[in-house]
């Protein structure tokens, strides 16, 4: 029972490391200028290390000291977690365009016609070290993700087989049930951790609070994404310790023969299972839904942030507290229906089909629940006063750098990418040093000679659709996940009993290769196609500033 407790703790903290990345993905994109395709590849890269080794490890089976190997794997996972946080400590502080000179930079992004060309903001000076730094950051993170996958390999299979070998027949299902429920809870906890950490400013350890000048609602805000990795990695390291003290074998009422015989007939069994139509169809169905779940888990937070103008912290809170528990409820309900009605295979497949159909019906309205992107001058909106692609007349005298990004919302309801592009030449402050508003903006018509603007984005004006969206998406999730248990039953009961563990192994292998790896990358690529304005860093395309929200939602 102590082993089950330790294993539950370890699985939970391992899932914290891999799940936490998904909760902070939009923040890491913004901090290091990544496209969603790159961040999607990063999020699924731990599956690569995992898949390469899983077959080999299952083959070792009971010939090794399983608890010790689990402990070593866990230490690798912990190392991977610390490596994920390392980029924060090797790169300089986060820099963003500001309207008020600070200790960091004496430049400001207001319109200052009297100065010569380019005197406002240095044209995103591109030191060679900046682009090198970026490659190093990406390399570090990809290596960390690969290690995370490799370290995770022994944990699940060895833990489960160890428990199943030494627990009594009566208790084994209970123990495995506990572990399974923890694997479902884990991602939820990870998103809640993300929600808590992203409320802190990214450089909380490097700058004083007074110098931050940003609130977490600001589009330039970057939360302390690295903090969660330190927390999660420390937890993994702690849970790894007991494993070095467990014996190689525990006493049990009766021993089973080991599964090494299964490997002699490897090709035969493989073909036998893949030729089985029920097995193949169910696995393909699971591949389709898993690819969707993998993509959604990675980018759902980003979607909520963009569609409903939420902070990253709130988006994670919704996913961790509403969507994931909803899926858990669905899994339990599906299992309960199975047990209550003792369903045949045909009834199992009917239940799956019903769950999916109802899910499609509830998910269909989600296509329309959202608003178009706000009007952004020169990006989504060109007016008659000559504010066109070339920023004519109204801010020509400002000589704004093209790379500037510090969105403000004009009194005319149009968003401008920076005070300079709106032609604003003065700024008013609160007593606490935050910005109240911008005035004398030559591009914004207003009372008197020019209009004014407030800091921050105008937002999508979509908050009224937020609750219906969350309710419907949660409901769709509950309905879809009712088919989880019956689809597993279909697999387990449609094949010969002696092939069972092998068939499940093949199933997970196919899910990894066909769903969990490509899912986030495909979703990220689709999201990238809807970008309307890319940030440029050193001539390279970095993160996306504005998406076409309607296309983002539909795709």
């Amino acid at each position: 029972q102590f082993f089950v407790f330790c294993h539950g703790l370890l699985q939970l903290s391992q899932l914290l490391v891999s799940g936490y990345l998904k909760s902070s993905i939009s923040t890491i994109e913004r901090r290091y200028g990544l496209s969603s395709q790159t961040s999607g590849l990063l999020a699924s890269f731990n599956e690569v290390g995992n898949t390469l080794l899983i077959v080999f490890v299952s083959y070792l089976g009971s010939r090794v000291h399983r608890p010790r190997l689990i402990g070593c794997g866990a230490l690798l996972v912990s190392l991977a977690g610390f490596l994920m946080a390392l980029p924060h400590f090797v790169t300089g502080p986060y820099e963003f365009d500001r309207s008020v000179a600070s200790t960091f930079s004496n430049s400001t992004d207001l319109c200052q016609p009297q100065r010569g060309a380019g005197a406002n903001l240095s044209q995103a000076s591109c030191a060679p070290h900046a682009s090198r730094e970026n490659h190093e950051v990406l390399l570090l993170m990809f290596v960390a993700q690969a290690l995370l996958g490799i370290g995770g390999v022994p944990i699940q299979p060895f833990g489960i087989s160890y428990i199943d070998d030494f627990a009594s027949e009566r208790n084994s299902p209970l123990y495995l049930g506990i572990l399974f429920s923890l694997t479902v809870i884990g991602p939820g906890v990870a998103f809640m951790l993300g929600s808590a950490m992203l409320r802190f400013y990214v450089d909380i350890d490097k700058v004083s609070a007074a110098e931050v000048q940003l609130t977490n609602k600001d589009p330039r805000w970057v939360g302390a994404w690295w903090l969660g990795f330190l927390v999660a990695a420390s937890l993994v390291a702690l849970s790894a310790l007991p494993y070095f003290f467990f014996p190689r074998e525990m006493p049990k009422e009766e021993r089973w023969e080991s599964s090494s015989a299964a490997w002699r007939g490897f090709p035969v069994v493989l073909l036998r299972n893949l030729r089985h139509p029920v097995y193949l169809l169910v696995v393909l169905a699971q591949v389709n839904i898993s690819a969707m779940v993998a993509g959604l888990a990675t980018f759902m937070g980003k979607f909520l942030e963009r569609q409903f103008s939420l902070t990253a912290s709130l988006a994670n809170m919704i996913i961790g507290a509403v969507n994931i528990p909803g899926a858990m409820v669905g899994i339990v309900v599906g299992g309960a229906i199975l047990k209550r009605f003792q369903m045949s295979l045909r009834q199992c497949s009917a239940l799956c089909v019903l769950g999916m159909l109802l899910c499609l019906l509830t998910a269909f309205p989600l296509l329309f629940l959202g608003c178009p992107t706000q009007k952004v001058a020169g990006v989504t909106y060109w007016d008659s006063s000559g504010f066109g692609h070339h920023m004519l007349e109204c801010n020509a005298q400002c000589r704004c750098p093209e790379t500037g990004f510090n969105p403000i919302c004009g009194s005319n309801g149009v968003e401008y990418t920076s005070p300079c592009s709106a032609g604003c030449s003065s700024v008013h402050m609160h007593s606490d040093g935050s910005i109240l508003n911008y005035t004398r903006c030559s591009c914004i018509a207003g009372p008197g000679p020019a209009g004014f603007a407030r800091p921050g984005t105008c937002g999508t004006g979509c908050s009224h659709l937020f609750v219906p969206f969350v309710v419907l998406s949660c409901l769709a999730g509950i309905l879809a996940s009712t088919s989880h248990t019956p689809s597993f039953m279909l697999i387990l009961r449609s094949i010969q009993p002696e092939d069972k563990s092998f068939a499940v192994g093949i199933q997970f292998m196919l899910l990894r290769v066909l769903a969990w790896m490509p899912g986030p990358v495909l979703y990220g690529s689709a999201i990238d196609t809807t970008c309307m304005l890319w940030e440029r860093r050193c001539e390279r395309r970095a993160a996306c500033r504005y998406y076409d929200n309607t296309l983002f939602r539909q795709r």
Side-chain angles (χ1 to χ4, degrees):
Q1 282 166 342
F2 182 59
F3 184 87
V4 174
F5 171 76
C6 290
H7 206 65
L9 204 61
L10 177 60
Q11 277 197 328
L12 193 65
S13 38
Q14 178 203 358
L15 283 163
L16 267 189
V17 179
S18 55
Y20 182 78
L21 174 65
K22 292 180 166 53
S23 76
S24 51
I25 205 99
S26 63
T27 302
I28 292 175
E29 278 181 16
R30 189 175 301 166
R31 174 64 184 88
Y32 294 110
L34 310 180
S35 68
S36 289
Q37 186 178 30
T38 308
S39 69
L41 184 60
L42 179 65
S44 63
F45 204 69
N46 58 332
E47 302 294 351
V48 175
N50 205 308
T51 308
L52 293 175
L53 281 172
I54 197 93
V55 171
F56 174 64
V57 164
S58 316
Y59 178 62
L60 288 172
S62 46
R63 300 173 215 185
V64 290
H65 193 307
R66 286 175 290 184
R68 218 166 273 169
L69 252 175
I70 294 173
C72 294
L75 288 180
L76 255 188
V77 169
S78 170
L79 173 69
F82 287 120
L83 272 182
M84 282 302 292
L86 191 57
H88 170 75
F89 299 100
V90 297
T91 55
Y94 170 57
E95 286 165 9
F96 52 89
D97 298 334
R98 13 177 126 222
S99 309
V100 182
S102 70
T103 47
F104 286 116
S105 63
N106 54 5
S107 60
T108 116
D109 56 10
L110 294 173
C111 177
Q112 293 159 315
Q114 64 279 23
R115 297 193 187 171
N120 290 356
L121 276 168
S122 53
Q123 277 280 1
S125 58
C126 198
H129 82 88
S131 60
R132 198 188 70 238
E133 190 176 73
N134 198 280
H135 288 302
E136 285 167 1
V137 163
L138 267 181
L139 187 66
L140 262 178
M141 289 184 152
F142 273 99
V143 168
Q145 279 288 88
L147 284 179
L148 178 62
I150 293 168
V153 168
I155 294 177
Q156 190 129 19
F158 282 173
I160 286 175
S161 66
Y162 191 81
I163 290 170
D164 201 48
D165 280 359
F166 304 121
S168 71
E169 243 82 296
R170 209 182 64 229
N171 292 339
S172 180
L174 170 71
Y175 296 149
L176 297 181
I178 291 172
L179 290 184
F180 178 69
S181 57
L182 280 176
T183 55
V184 187
I185 294 168
V189 180
F191 277 99
M192 300 302 274
L193 180 66
S195 175
M197 295 306 169
L198 295 178
R199 288 183 190 150
F200 299 108
Y201 181 65
V202 61
D203 289 324
I204 193 169
D205 57 328
K206 298 180 188 174
V207 301
S208 65
E211 281 173 347
V212 176
Q213 295 182 349
L214 290 183
T215 67
N216 65 1
K217 294 191 172 50
D218 193 293
R220 296 162 298 163
W221 172 267
V222 168
W225 59 271
W226 51 275
L227 252 174
F229 284 116
L230 297 184
V231 172
S234 310
L235 275 175
V236 175
L238 278 176
S239 346
L241 293 176
Y243 283 91
F244 294 99
F245 302 102
F246 280 109
R248 182 176 175 142
E249 304 202 328
M250 287 188 188
K252 182 192 164 148
E253 295 84 45
E254 76 271 45
R255 298 279 300 118
W256 309 50
E257 34 71 66
S258 81
S259 59
S260 55
W263 284 89
R264 292 188 205 118
F266 185 90
V268 186
V269 182
L270 179 62
L271 286 172
R272 187 164 64 204
N273 283 333
L274 288 182
R275 273 211 320 265
H276 202 299
V278 175
Y279 178 75
L280 202 57
L281 286 169
V282 175
V283 169
L284 281 178
Q286 287 187 339
V287 160
N288 278 297
I289 194 167
S290 301
M292 183 187 81
V293 170
L296 276 183
T298 311
F299 293 115
M300 180 78 160
K302 184 187 174 85
F303 177 82
L304 294 175
E305 286 168 45
R306 297 291 180 150
Q307 289 289 327
F308 304 106
S309 314
L310 306 184
T311 64
S313 175
L314 181 57
N316 283 333
M317 174 78 84
I318 296 294
I319 295 170
V322 180
N323 289 79
I324 292 178
M328 287 162 55
V329 168
I331 292 175
V332 171
V333 168
I337 295 175
L338 267 192
K339 196 168 179 182
R340 172 76 184 74
F341 297 108
Q342 298 286 317
M343 296 178 124
S344 67
L345 282 191
R346 188 159 288 167
Q347 287 169 322
C348 274
S349 56
L351 182 60
C352 290
V353 171
L354 183 68
M356 287 299 148
L357 278 176
L358 290 173
C359 166
L360 282 178
L361 285 177
T362 42
F364 184 68
L366 297 181
L367 271 172
F368 310 102
L369 285 182
C371 310
T373 313
Q374 63 267 41
K375 291 179 179 173
V376 183
V379 180
T380 62
Y381 174 79
W382 293 273
D383 64 16
S384 49
S385 68
F387 195 111
H389 286 278
H390 298 294
M391 311 267 178
L392 303 168
E393 289 121 47
C394 69
N395 65 3
Q397 81 282 9
C398 303
R399 296 197 178 90
C400 305
E402 284 172 13
T403 52
F405 183 69
N406 174 10
I408 62 170
C409 186
S411 48
N412 55 357
V414 176
E415 189 169 315
Y416 296 83
T417 51
S418 71
C420 187
S421 67
C424 304
S425 53
S426 68
V427 58
H428 295 265
M429 312 287 288
H430 274 298
S431 53
D432 65 357
S434 60
I435 291 172
L436 179 63
N437 64 5
Y438 296 90
T439 51
R440 309 225 305 271
C441 306
S442 50
C443 293
I444 305 173
F452 64 94
R454 58 178 172 79
T457 137
C458 290
T460 51
C462 232
S463 47
H464 60 292
L465 292 175
F466 175 53
V467 174
F469 183 92
V470 170
V471 170
L472 276 178
S473 71
C474 182
L475 196 58
I478 292 175
L479 289 167
S481 50
T482 50
S483 66
H484 183 277
T485 317
S487 71
F488 260 103
M489 281 298 128
L490 277 173
I491 282 181
L492 291 176
R493 290 194 201 152
S494 65
I495 51 194
Q496 289 159 342
E498 66 270 19
D499 295 350
K500 213 177 266 188
S501 59
F502 187 77
V504 173
I506 298 284
Q507 170 201 10
F508 274 101
M509 184 83 176
L510 289 170
L511 285 180
R512 280 216 162 82
V513 175
L514 299 177
W516 296 336
M517 272 187 217
V521 184
L522 292 171
Y523 267 67
S525 309
I527 290 172
D528 282 344
T529 61
T530 66
C531 186
M532 302 181 77
L533 178 67
W534 288 97
E535 166 198 9
R536 316 272 333 160
R537 285 195 193 181
C538 304
E539 297 311 299
R540 99 185 155 81
R541 199 177 81 174
C544 184
R545 300 277 198 212
Y546 292 103
Y547 291 97
D548 179 326
N549 273 348
T550 309
L551 282 179
F552 186 168
R553 189 172 62 248
Q554 290 165 350
R555 288 183 189 168

